[in-house]
Amino acid sequence: MANDPIHQFQISKLIPIEIGGLDFSFTNSSLFMVATVATAGAFLYLTTSSRGLVPSRLQSVSEMSYEFVANMLRDAAGTHGMKFFPLVFSLFMFVLVANLLGMFPYFFTVTSHIIVTFALSMLVMGTVVIYGFWKHGLKFLGLFVPEGVPAILVPLVVLIEVISFLSRPISLSVRLFANMLAGHITLKVFAGFVVSLGSLGALGIGGAILPLLMTIALTGLEFLVSFLQAYVFAVLTCMYLNDALHPSH
Amino acid sequence: MAGSNRPDQTGDEKPGAAAGSPNREQDLVRRSRELDAALAARKPARDETESKPATGGMAGFGQALKLSSEFIAGIAVGAGLGWLIDRVAGTSPWGLIIFLLLGFAAGVLNVLRSVGMVAEGGPGKARNGAGRPD
């Protein structure tokens, strides 16, 4: 159905691959992930290859994205956090480029599938937990014990803090996924109104102007959301990494 | 916003050892540190204006998604943990009941934390500033 707002999220197998009964097919989602990585990589590589002392326009875009993420990381996690810069920068660029690629008509939005965003956030949480334990040992668990809590309440508070910690990857992934999903569905629904109203004759075409304007506005908004969600994802990654670096409770 | 008290970041710009008397050098380091501190004090304000465009019509929607995802994540994890414990220990339904309540508390804590209403008590850890950014 051309008018089905969910149809755009359907996964289709492009190259069916099955290994040991498991489905490793190359899907349209995989295709766009490859496209995302290729686009981000090629953009950064090509724009910085001339290495002009006075940067060209595109080179300064790459440099700005570097500076942007580097400052974000330094603000949230201090200079020690810079060892995680490759991780945070890759995540930021991946989410940003995937969101922006999704804005092309007929393109698939990788980040509108929760399993993708959940995998990304589990990568972050895995890094936090492994690095935290590796660096601080059992002191990392101090993260869950706030100071100044009466001894009787400590078990309860620790349980709540642990649940709160475990809920981080879920809220991190759900936020990105829900924003992209909701945005794209809204866009599709309003664009669908234009078509169905337009087929009603002269009066309908007049009425179709309203949803058309709405669609234009929503498109702009979606670009903003694409950027904002990539930013939020990266900032929260930085803050969680900060917990791994300084479990200072 | 992201860290109102940033750690100092001046480690990488010590002037060369050959430069002048050590006194002068110290002075230079001190001044550059002060400058960094002053710049850092300014920065959050700029960050605020940077993310300001979000506070249009979509801001409420974004805020709602953010807070509800925080809250639901807490409850979901609590319920999941309780269910798992019940399955493993065979204490059904008590694990689910207790952990659902704890998850509720964790969800509320998540929400309060993400809007910066939880004072991260103790002097050593105002580290996340007012709370998480949006």
Side-chain angles (χ1 to χ4, degrees):
Chain A
M1 279 296 286
N3 241 346
D4 179 7
I6 304 294
H7 184 259
Q8 56 179 321
F9 303 116
Q10 223 151 52
I11 302 252
S12 54
K13 289 180 191 173
L14 300 180
I15 309 170
I17 305 170
E18 209 172 284
I19 304 172
L22 291 171
D23 196 358
F24 284 100
S25 301
F26 192 82
T27 60
N28 53 350
S29 182
S30 333
L31 177 68
F32 277 97
M33 282 186 224
V34 172
T36 301
V37 173
T39 311
F43 176 76
L44 290 173
Y45 181 74
L46 292 178
T47 51
T48 52
S49 59
S50 67
R51 297 211 184 98
L53 195 59
V54 179
S56 63
R57 248 175 273 170
L58 287 176
Q59 189 187 340
S60 72
V61 171
S62 313
E63 286 176 5
M64 264 165 59
S65 55
Y66 170 88
E67 284 287 324
F68 183 66
V69 177
N71 283 336
M72 186 196 308
L73 187 54
R74 247 186 244 124
D75 285 357
T79 22
H80 294 298
M82 285 308 277
K83 68 179 71 137
F84 289 115
F85 179 78
L87 173 72
V88 178
F89 189 68
S90 313
L91 277 174
F92 175 73
M93 287 309 276
F94 183 82
V95 174
L96 179 63
V97 174
N99 289 351
L100 289 179
L101 274 184
M103 288 306 295
F104 282 94
Y106 294 103
F107 275 28
F108 181 83
T109 319
V110 176
T111 43
S112 65
H113 275 264
I114 191 160
I115 192 63
V116 176
T117 57
F118 189 67
L120 291 178
S121 62
M122 279 316 281
L123 177 73
V124 173
M125 290 335 265
T127 312
V128 167
V129 170
I130 291 172
Y131 183 82
F133 275 118
W134 177 65
K135 194 77 184 169
H136 302 280
L138 287 180
K139 258 198 282 177
F140 179 63
L141 292 177
L143 187 65
F144 300 125
V145 191
E147 275 165 33
V149 175
I152 314 168
L153 284 180
V154 162
L156 191 66
V157 170
V158 166
L159 267 179
I160 291 175
E161 288 278 351
V162 168
I163 293 175
S164 163
F165 182 83
L166 291 177
S167 72
R168 279 173 173 186
I170 294 179
S171 66
L172 190 61
S173 53
V174 164
R175 185 173 315 137
L176 176 58
F177 141 81
N179 267 293
M180 298 321 289
L181 186 82
H184 281 258
I185 288 179
T186 327
L187 210 53
K188 180 88 182 192
V189 167
F190 274 98
F193 284 162
V194 178
V195 178
S196 38
L197 272 177
S199 63
L200 290 181
L203 200 65
I205 291 179
I209 291 176
L210 280 177
L212 181 64
L213 289 179
M214 194 68 187
T215 311
I216 295 169
L218 277 175
T219 309
L221 214 61
E222 267 310 290
F223 275 108
L224 184 72
V225 168
S226 306
F227 177 76
L228 213 66
Q229 287 307 312
Y231 169 73
V232 165
F233 198 93
V235 167
L236 287 175
T237 303
C238 293
M239 313 213 67
Y240 297 160
L241 288 173
N242 182 43
D243 280 345
L245 287 159
H246 319 106
S248 55
H249 277 304
Chain B
M1 284 310 293
S4 41
N5 65 330
R6 65 209 61 225
D8 69 24
Q9 349 171 320
T10 54
D12 45 357
E13 43 193 53
K14 288 199 180 85
S21 64
N23 212 3
R24 226 183 91 114
E25 206 174 297
Q26 270 173 6
D27 194 41
L28 205 61
V29 170
R30 185 182 56 77
R31 268 169 43 200
S32 95
R33 198 161 286 172
E34 272 173 14
L35 183 63
D36 272 4
L39 283 176
R42 256 151 214 267
K43 213 134 174 217
R46 198 206 62 189
D47 279 351
E48 205 111 42
T49 52
E50 234 170 34
S51 56
K52 218 45 182 200
T55 60
M58 196 71 168
F61 180 62
Q63 184 89 350
L65 266 182
K66 179 182 116 190
L67 294 184
S68 56
S69 73
E70 295 277 3
F71 186 57
I72 292 169
I75 295 179
V77 169
L81 268 183
W83 184 76
L84 266 183
I85 287 174
D86 275 351
R87 260 189 78 124
V88 173
T91 50
S92 179
W94 294 106
L96 188 59
I97 291 174
I98 291 169
F99 274 83
L100 197 59
L101 290 173
L102 286 174
F104 186 84
V108 173
L109 180 68
N110 279 347
V111 169
L112 288 179
R113 219 171 241 167
S114 78
V115 295
M117 304 265 272
V118 174
E120 295 266 333
K125 50 196 167 71
R127 68 189 199 293
N128 283 357
R132 295 189 209 155
D134 47 345

